[in-house]
């Protein structure tokens, strides 16, 4: 909205029509995925304006341009390498703030949660008696839960110590460091910083936090669970967008290859050499 407002600074909203909207998006020097997000926000804004002003100004809903994009694949790691990276993060950070490792560990174990959502967890969102964490305002708009493994619930209990105030962020600095006071929530780069450092120490290149945790775990699960099981019980996606995280189903691919070999054995005619067909004397 701020970018659009700057572009249309001297225009009345009733004067902003298809041409102005198209020019706005044509002038943006950003990727199409971000453009699509901008378009969604502006479209919702116009719906609100049209509804609010329909009797006074009679503003009409403009047509918005079509913007398409293809989501890119992320590099992933094996579960063995993921565990090695997590162990290295723990080695690097446990002594001064174990919440760094714990946050990344949870991201790798519960692919339903995004890094930004994990950072927003407050003390009051965690129920260790029932072993769950609620995320009240995720991207999907409706609250979602993760059910903790007993060992993770125990880790949180151990790290947490005396329970803090309900509105206190759980993933926070516990000591003042580099000018950041104790009690302040982790910034957006905190998990990523230590993930990248661990990868560097292990000579693992090109795998970001998102790809190395969520995408890698979902891809590995594709070997033992169906896409439908993963969608319902692991990622919680309401659309099929999650399927881009998964490489083609390994089990299905192997079964298909076996089937090809099987029909070949049935349908391939026997090989007859010319000498056999004509007789050995010929």
């Amino acid at each position: 909205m701020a970018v659009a407002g700057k572009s249309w600074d001297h225009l009345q909203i009733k004067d902003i029509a298809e041409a102005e909207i198209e020019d706005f998006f044509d002038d943006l020097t950003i990727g199409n995925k971000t453009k699509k997000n901008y378009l969604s926000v502006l479209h919702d804004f116009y719906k609100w304006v049209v509804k609010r002003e329909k009797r006074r100004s009679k503003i009409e809903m403009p047509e918005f341009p079509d913007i398409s994009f293809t989501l890119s694949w992320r590099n992933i790691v094996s579960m063995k390498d993921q565990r090695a990276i997590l162990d290295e993060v723990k080695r690097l950070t446990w002594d001064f703030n174990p919440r760094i490792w714990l946050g990344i560990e949870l991201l790798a174990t519960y692919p339903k949660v995004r890094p930004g959502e994990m950072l927003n967890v407050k003390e009051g969102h965690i129920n260790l008696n029932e072993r769950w964490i609620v995320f009240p305002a995720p991207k999907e708009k409706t609250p979602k839960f993760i059910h903790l493994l007993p060992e993770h619930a125990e880790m949180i209990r151990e790290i947490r110590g005396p329970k803090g105030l309900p509105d206190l962020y759980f993933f926070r600095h516990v000591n003042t460091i580099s000018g950041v006071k104790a009690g302040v929530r982790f910034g957006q780069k905190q998990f990523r910083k230590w993930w990248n450092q661990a990868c560097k120490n292990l000579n693992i290149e090109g795998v970001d936090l998102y790809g190395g945790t969520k995408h890698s775990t979902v891809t590995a699960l594709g070997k033992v669970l169906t896409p439908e099981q993963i969608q319902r019980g692991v990622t919680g996606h309401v659309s099929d967008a999650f399927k881009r995280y998964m490489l083609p189903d390994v089990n299905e691919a192997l079964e298909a290859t076996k089937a090809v070999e099987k029909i070949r054995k049935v349908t391939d005619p026997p090989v007859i050499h010319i000498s056999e067909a004509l007789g050995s004397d010929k």
Side-chain angles (χ1 to χ4, degrees):
M1 291 299 297
V3 175
K6 185 176 180 180
S7 177
W8 299 327
D9 186 36
H10 300 295
L11 294 175
Q12 297 289 333
I13 192 167
K14 62 184 179 181
D15 296 326
I16 301 172
E18 286 78 5
E20 287 73 26
I21 293 173
E22 283 188 3
D23 290 345
F24 168 70
F25 283 104
D26 286 343
D27 291 340
L28 290 174
T29 56
I30 54 178
N32 275 11
K33 184 177 186 300
T34 306
K35 283 187 180 183
K36 189 77 171 182
N37 293 338
Y38 279 28
L39 185 146
S40 177
V41 172
L42 288 173
H43 190 272
D44 287 346
F45 170 70
Y46 264 92
K47 283 174 61 179
W48 173 77
V49 170
V50 169
K51 181 179 178 181
R52 181 178 175 86
E53 300 292 331
K54 65 180 180 180
R55 295 194 179 184
R56 281 190 298 189
S57 304
K58 296 183 179 180
I59 296 174
E60 295 184 2
M61 186 72 180
E63 291 186 17
F64 282 75
D66 291 327
I67 298 176
S68 60
F69 62 92
T70 301
L71 291 170
S72 61
W73 287 79
R74 292 176 185 264
N75 292 333
I76 60 173
V77 292
S78 67
M79 291 296 94
K80 180 180 178 181
D81 284 345
Q82 186 190 78
R83 178 48 54 194
I85 296 167
L86 288 166
D87 288 345
E88 180 65 7
V89 171
K90 189 173 186 178
R91 186 188 73 80
L92 291 169
T93 65
W94 185 264
D95 289 341
F96 71 89
N97 195 340
R99 294 166 194 251
I100 297 171
W101 168 82
L102 178 61
I104 300 175
E105 166 74 14
L106 295 181
L107 288 173
T109 310
Y110 308 96
K112 183 182 292 188
V113 185
R114 299 175 178 85
E117 294 167 353
M118 190 68 73
L119 290 173
N120 285 329
V121 169
K122 296 181 179 180
E123 294 280 356
H125 296 150
I126 303 172
N127 185 325
L128 293 183
N129 292 329
E130 302 296 330
R131 297 204 304 263
W132 49 254
I133 299 176
V134 63
F135 299 85
K139 183 178 178 181
E140 291 82 5
K141 307 301 181 186
T142 57
K144 63 184 176 184
F145 293 79
I146 59 171
H147 297 277
L148 296 166
L149 294 172
E151 55 265 36
H152 286 150
E154 189 56 37
M155 287 175 190
I156 293 174
R157 184 176 283 109
E158 177 185 342
I159 289 172
R160 170 194 260 176
K163 186 176 179 180
L165 297 174
D167 287 335
L168 190 64
Y169 287 105
F170 180 80
F171 293 103
R172 62 185 185 272
H173 296 277
V174 294
N175 298 297
T176 299
I177 183 171
S178 300
V180 180
K181 294 182 179 180
V184 174
R185 188 193 72 161
F186 287 166
Q188 294 292 329
K189 298 180 181 179
Q190 188 71 8
F191 291 150
R192 190 189 320 153
K193 169 186 173 182
W194 292 105
W195 172 272
N196 290 344
Q197 184 61 54
C199 287
K200 182 178 179 181
N201 292 355
L202 297 172
N203 295 317
I204 296 175
E205 299 180 352
V207 182
D208 63 11
L209 174 67
Y210 213 83
T213 54
K214 181 169 187 165
H215 288 226
S216 296
T217 299
V218 172
T219 300
L221 285 172
K223 298 178 182 179
V224 295
L225 298 177
T226 66
E228 291 73 23
Q229 288 174 318
I230 292 173
Q231 186 173 12
R232 289 194 306 268
V234 181
T235 67
H237 280 84
V238 295
S239 70
D240 287 340
F242 83 100
K243 290 182 179 177
R244 80 180 190 279
Y245 305 156
M246 302 175 61
L247 296 177
D249 188 295
V250 175
N251 294 327
E252 285 189 6
L254 289 174
E255 289 302 317
T257 303
K258 290 178 183 177
V260 170
E261 288 298 311
K262 185 176 181 179
I263 62 173
R264 279 178 177 168
K265 291 178 181 178
V266 172
T267 59
D268 284 355
V271 176
I272 301 176
H273 295 287
I274 294 177
S275 59
E276 294 174 341
L278 300 179
S280 58
D281 59 333
K282 299 291 183 71

